[in-house]
Amino acid sequence: MPLHSIVLAKQVPDTTDITPRAMKADGTLNRSALPAVLNQDDLHALEMALAVKDEHGGTVTIITMGPSAAADILREALYRGADRAILLTDRRFAAADTLATSYTLSAAVNKIKTFDLIFCGREASDGNTAQVGPQVAEKLGIPQITCVDQICSLDGGRLEARRLSDEGCERVRAILPLLITVISDSNEPRPPAAKRLMRFKKALTPGEVKKRIGAEGASDQMFESRCRALKDRGLLIEEWNGDDLAIDPSRCGRAGSPTWVKKIERVVLTGGEHKSYPATDEGVHQLMHELMEEHTFG
Ligand code: FAD
């Protein structure tokens, strides 16, 4: 039977190139100062959702909460095979911590109503808390399996997955609807399909249409007709704000965040003095003894 999957994906700064300009004085990320990419774990989550669609049919909807520029990762997901893309964007969502982020995301899932599976990355490469997925599952009152690297079986409304942990791996079974967080290296994300890329590179959010026609000085009627034309061709990326989600503004964004990032420091570990030990039993014994003495071990 066809399955309807939702992928929650985050646009993150390209952390391979963090400069001091990355953070604003108030401890929030200066997202405009860094190139932004689709979070790596989420690419694997998208691939797992697309593989479920290949096998069982159904649809894949991708949702991101972020600034209007986050529409870029939605287009990227459409190139790879997603069927529907939704941008949650509203000033009231900004500077959210994971509690407020998960509240807003779960409100969007509730608006979609029917789904069988939600796929998240295990963690975002900038905040690294790995809290949002589990918090969304809690708010929706659905089971969750975290750190999944493989779906072992999926039929009759039951899923069995393999999850990796520090101790090894476990096979866990759950009933749908279910939230899964996916680890990197769990699969080989498919590349964007050329035909889909040619088609969906024209996909825009209403905010992007507004910006474009604003620059042309066109009228509001022009805006309506442009959006209708895009929608008719399946090229309008949906954009939901706080009013569309009917949420409690005191529970999203900075207002709904009991935690905030105070400061971020660049920690560069430099090599200090070093000591060498002979590769003999005595040498190794001496090394272990000193490490134990310094409480590096044990
Ligand atoms: P994670 O919980 O690591 O993300 C897990 C998964 O949730 C992602 O792979 C993705 O599938 C989904 N997801 C996360 N955010 C979104 C989104 N915006 N749209 C769609 N899907 C999403 N907030 C805290 O509450 N506590 C902290 O300790 C904390 N530390 C931070 C440290 C740094 C350096 C930065 C830049 C931010 C920090 N934040 C923290 C803020 C945090 O980035 C936001 O709350 C963010 O929206 C979710 O937290 P995360 O990035 O840790 O996501």
Side-chain angles (χ1 to χ4, degrees):
M1 78 175 194
L3 293 171
H4 301 288
S5 297
I6 294 174
V7 177
L8 301 179
K10 186 181 182 186
Q11 184 184 49
V12 292
D14 182 355
T15 41
T16 50
D17 163 23
I18 282 273
T19 62
R21 289 185 317 121
M23 299 305 292
K24 289 190 230 169
D26 68 357
T28 55
L29 216 52
N30 184 1
R31 292 187 188 277
S32 56
L34 294 162
V37 292
L38 204 166
N39 180 51
Q40 186 61 33
D41 282 9
D42 303 354
L43 203 49
H44 295 280
L46 174 62
E47 176 54 35
M48 199 171 274
L50 292 170
V52 164
K53 176 181 148 191
D54 292 345
E55 195 175 334
H56 298 271
T59 59
V60 173
T61 298
I62 183 156
I63 301 177
T64 191
M65 178 187 90
S68 53
D72 288 343
I73 68 161
L74 297 176
R75 274 184 282 271
E76 197 180 329
L78 290 167
Y79 300 159
R80 294 169 191 264
D83 302 285
R84 186 181 177 194
I86 301 168
L87 171 64
L88 308 181
T89 194
D90 187 314
R91 283 198 173 288
R92 292 170 288 183
F93 300 161
D97 73 358
T98 62
L99 187 71
T101 300
S102 57
Y103 169 69
T104 309
L105 292 172
S106 44
V109 173
N110 278 325
K111 181 175 168 76
I112 290 179
K113 289 203 183 45
T114 47
F115 64 90
D116 299 291
L117 284 160
I118 300 178
F119 292 88
C120 293
R122 185 174 69 93
E123 67 176 5
S125 59
D126 58 349
N128 297 99
T129 61
Q131 291 169 7
V132 171
Q135 285 177 332
V136 169
E138 281 299 306
K139 288 180 173 59
L140 295 171
I142 61 173
Q144 57 182 288
I145 304 180
T146 58
C147 304
V148 168
D149 84 323
Q150 187 187 348
I151 292 179
C152 310
S153 68
L154 173 49
D155 56 12
R158 303 175 79 85
L159 179 143
E160 182 172 310
R162 185 174 72 176
R163 69 181 299 269
L164 298 189
S165 69
D166 297 345
E167 293 69 43
C169 65
E170 301 164 335
R171 287 174 79 122
V172 181
R173 211 174 289 155
I175 48 166
L176 306 188
L178 164 71
L179 183 139
I180 285 182
T181 76
V182 179
I183 59 172
S184 276
D185 309 334
S186 49
N187 50 40
E188 188 55 44
R190 67 195 67 193
K195 260 173 106 180
R196 293 185 68 93
L197 197 150
M198 294 312 286
R199 177 161 178 240
F200 287 111
K201 67 179 183 182
K202 301 180 196 92
L204 294 173
T205 62
E208 290 171 319
V209 174
K210 188 158 273 176
K211 232 182 190 166
R212 288 196 182 190
I213 64 163
E216 295 158 14
S219 66
D220 283 355
Q221 281 85 342
M222 183 61 122
F223 168 68
E224 299 297 336
S225 70
R226 281 272 179 93
C227 286
R228 218 178 3 266
L230 283 169
K231 191 169 173 154
D232 294 347
R233 291 158 55 207
L235 295 177
L236 188 68
I237 295 177
E238 294 165 80
E239 204 171 59
W240 293 351
N241 61 25
D243 301 333
D244 299 316
L245 297 180
I247 49 174
D248 172 356
S250 70
R251 293 185 61 191
C252 46
R254 189 186 294 276
S257 300
T259 63
W260 60 91
V261 179
K262 193 163 179 302
K263 195 167 87 159
I264 287 201
E265 273 157 14
R266 248 167 93 84
V267 177
V268 182
L269 298 175
T270 47
E273 52 164 310
H274 75 280
K275 230 173 144 183
S276 38
Y277 298 83
T280 58
D281 289 354
E282 294 71 31
V284 172
H285 184 77
Q286 178 58 21
L287 170 65
M288 295 302 285
H289 174 71
E290 287 183 26
L291 289 174
M292 305 283 265
E293 263 205 331
E294 286 167 13
H295 301 295
T296 314
F297 278 166

